[in-house]
């Protein structure tokens, strides 16, 4: 029996959007590239330069697997909203996996490319692609058991998908148990996702706070994702604004260059009726890395409107609607707000 359409759609949407596809850990055990310079570029998110260097290497060494994978990631991650670049990355990923079927880096790059493509697909096509994505992560992990990204992304798929589509909490638990001693932080990240799916928020918070601050970009991204998910649970309906605020402030402290903690804290202040502080924090968040991940101008417009500044709220709303990176659902909400303003 198939699940109701609305539930199935929610499952698939969640399965796709949880794949943040962050850059893997930059330590020697879990690094993507053996080439230190390429790994440094990847870790720093300098994907345009990674692409440039990969192209140069392939001109003289066309059979270089790392160069081919670097090209895939450069094409895919420099501008994930560019469908043509993603398609070019997919073609390079196919070459990489066909020419180097036993190289984990090729399957990892292909999985990251496919995950990004799925964000731009229609729901039906994305559903058909989930099996391929799962297979790519499984193959990556088979070839490189220490891969942080492959293990965590595969665990996310297992806990997010319904059983009829290959989901399995028990398989996610197996992935966690296998590295509990050798890679304790990886195991803890997987436990966070298992607890989140089970809505065990108190246990999730305890695990999250037990994680030590890290400079590893992949670990930071997973912590950021989990923190934002948990804090939103406390924020919704004003369930526990103090806890939400504390979680957001922890992100501000541990990841001061990222927008997430400031955006979240701004939402708490807005919920508390502290419009001026909320506006200050929203404006700060807009200047930081990852700002495009959040509907900052939408929330800023809402706060300005609540404050009574209709003219400024309208300007901010219009700016949000013009943002090509804004999610359609949020744009539709803002259009309704604009219509009410006249």
């Amino acid at each position: 029996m198939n699940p109701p359409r609305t539930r199935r759609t929610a499952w698939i949407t969640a399965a796709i959007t949880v794949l943040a596809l962050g850059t893997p850990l930059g330590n020697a055990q879990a690094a993507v590239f053996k080439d230190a310079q390429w790994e440094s570029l990847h870790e720093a998110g300098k994907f345009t330069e990674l692409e440039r260097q990969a192209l140069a290497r392939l001109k003289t060494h066309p059979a270089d697997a790392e160069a081919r994978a670097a090209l895939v990631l450069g094409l895919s991650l420099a501008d994930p909203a560019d469908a043509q670049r993603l398609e070019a990355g997919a073609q390079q990923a196919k070459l990489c996996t066909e020419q180097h079927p036993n190289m984990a880096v090729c399957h990892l790059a292909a999985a990251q490319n496919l995950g990004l493509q799925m964000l731009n697909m229609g729901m039906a096509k994305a559903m058909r692609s989930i099996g391929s994505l799962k297979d790519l992560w499984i193959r990556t992990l088979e070839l490189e058991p220490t891969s942080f990204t492959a293990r965590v992304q595969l665990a996310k798929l297992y806990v997010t998908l319904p059983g009829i589509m290959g989901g399995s909490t028990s398989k996610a638990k197996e992935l966690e148990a296998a590295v509990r001693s050798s890679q304790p932080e990886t195991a803890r990240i997987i436990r966070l996702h298992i607890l989140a799916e089970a809505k065990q928020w108190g246990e999730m918070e305890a695990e999250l706070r037990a994680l030590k601050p890290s400079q590893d970009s992949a670990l930071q991204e997973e912590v950021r994702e989990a923190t934002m998910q948990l804090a939103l649970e406390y924020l919704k309906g004003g369930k526990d604004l103090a806890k939400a605020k504390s979680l957001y402030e922890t992100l501000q402290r541990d990841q001061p260059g990222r927008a997430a903690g400031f955006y979240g804290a701004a939402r708490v202040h807005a919920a508390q009726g502290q419009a001026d502080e909320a506006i200050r924090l929203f404006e700060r968040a807009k200047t930081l890395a990852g700002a495009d991940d959040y509907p900052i101008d939408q929330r800023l417009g809402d706060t300005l409107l609540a404050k009574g500044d209709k003219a400024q709220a309208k300007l901010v709303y219009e700016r949000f609607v013009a943002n090509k990176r804004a999610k359609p659902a949020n744009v539709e909400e803002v259009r309704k707000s604009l219509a009410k303003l006249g």
Side-chain angles (χ1 to χ4, degrees):
M1 178 178 178
N2 290 332
R5 180 175 178 81
T6 53
R7 288 179 64 200
R8 185 172 69 236
T9 298
W11 273 326
I12 302 308
T13 300
I16 296 170
T17 55
V18 296
L19 299 179
L21 299 175
T23 49
L25 291 173
N27 58 51
Q29 184 181 42
V32 172
F33 298 109
K34 294 178 181 178
D35 185 302
Q37 185 173 0
W38 286 8
E39 181 61 26
S40 178
L41 290 171
H42 188 223
E43 174 75 8
K46 297 180 179 179
F47 302 117
T48 300
E49 179 61 16
L50 185 66
E51 177 187 350
R52 188 192 69 78
Q53 291 196 22
L55 284 169
R57 176 80 64 86
L58 287 169
K59 284 182 179 180
T60 56
H61 298 82
D64 188 317
E66 284 211 334
R68 189 70 62 186
L71 180 57
V72 174
L73 294 178
L75 286 166
S76 304
L77 297 171
D79 185 0
D82 189 324
Q84 289 186 332
R85 287 179 60 83
L86 283 179
E87 178 55 33
Q91 293 173 7
Q92 293 297 323
K94 187 173 185 292
L95 279 174
C96 199
T97 54
E98 288 179 348
Q99 294 175 353
H100 311 283
N102 295 321
M103 292 294 290
V105 68
C106 285
H107 297 277
L108 183 147
Q112 293 211 347
N113 173 271
L114 179 56
L116 289 170
Q117 285 193 79
M118 288 168 65
L119 293 173
N120 300 320
M121 291 177 183
M123 187 59 64
K125 189 175 181 180
M127 288 171 64
R128 291 195 298 271
S129 298
I130 283 180
S132 297
L133 180 63
K134 184 173 67 173
D135 289 345
L136 284 167
W137 286 128
I138 289 173
R139 183 60 176 153
T140 304
L141 198 59
E142 287 174 349
L143 294 168
E144 184 48 77
T146 64
S147 173
F148 173 89
T149 298
R151 188 171 295 275
V152 170
Q153 296 299 335
L154 182 57
K156 285 183 184 183
L157 277 177
Y158 281 143
V159 300
T160 306
L161 291 175
I164 60 172
M165 296 188 66
S168 171
T169 300
S170 63
K171 287 184 179 179
K173 289 180 177 179
E174 288 174 7
L175 290 172
E176 182 273 333
V179 294
R180 197 176 297 161
S181 299
S182 59
Q183 295 175 268
E185 297 300 85
T186 302
R188 195 180 296 277
I189 290 294
I190 294 174
R191 289 199 297 275
L192 285 174
H193 291 292
I194 293 171
L195 291 168
E197 187 64 18
K199 302 186 185 304
Q200 296 177 350
W201 307 121
E203 293 87 343
M204 182 182 177
E205 183 177 358
E207 289 280 11
L208 189 58
R209 293 194 181 281
L211 278 166
K212 297 177 181 179
S214 171
Q215 294 303 309
D216 289 320
S217 63
L219 188 56
Q220 284 188 346
E221 186 159 352
E222 292 297 335
V223 168
R224 188 164 62 248
E225 178 187 328
T227 302
M228 295 299 280
Q229 181 180 8
L230 178 59
L232 182 60
E233 285 298 320
Y234 292 139
L235 178 63
K236 286 189 301 189
K239 186 188 299 182
D240 194 329
L241 293 180
K243 279 191 175 182
K245 184 180 180 183
S246 175
L247 287 164
Y248 290 133
E249 287 177 344
T250 298
L251 271 186
Q252 290 180 50
R253 182 195 68 208
D254 295 342
Q255 301 185 26
R258 304 289 308 192
F262 296 90
Y263 166 76
R267 291 198 61 187
V268 172
H269 284 288
Q272 294 173 327
Q274 300 167 352
D276 289 339
E277 181 61 10
I279 291 168
R280 184 188 73 80
L281 288 168
F282 280 133
E283 294 288 2
R284 175 74 181 279
K286 286 172 58 178
T287 68
L288 300 173
D292 286 339
D293 295 339
Y294 309 102
I296 296 175
D297 274 339
Q298 177 186 12
R299 300 298 182 185
L300 176 57
D302 292 345
T303 305
L304 288 164
L305 192 59
K307 188 181 177 183
D309 192 342
K310 294 183 179 180
Q312 190 62 30
K314 185 176 181 180
L315 288 174
V316 172
Y317 281 151
E318 289 173 343
R319 185 171 66 201
F320 183 77
V321 169
N323 183 356
K324 294 181 179 180
R325 294 181 179 273
K327 294 180 180 179
N330 295 96
V331 170
E332 183 60 29
E333 290 179 12
V334 172
R335 288 190 191 280
K336 291 177 182 178
S337 298
L338 278 170
K340 291 178 183 178
L341 286 174

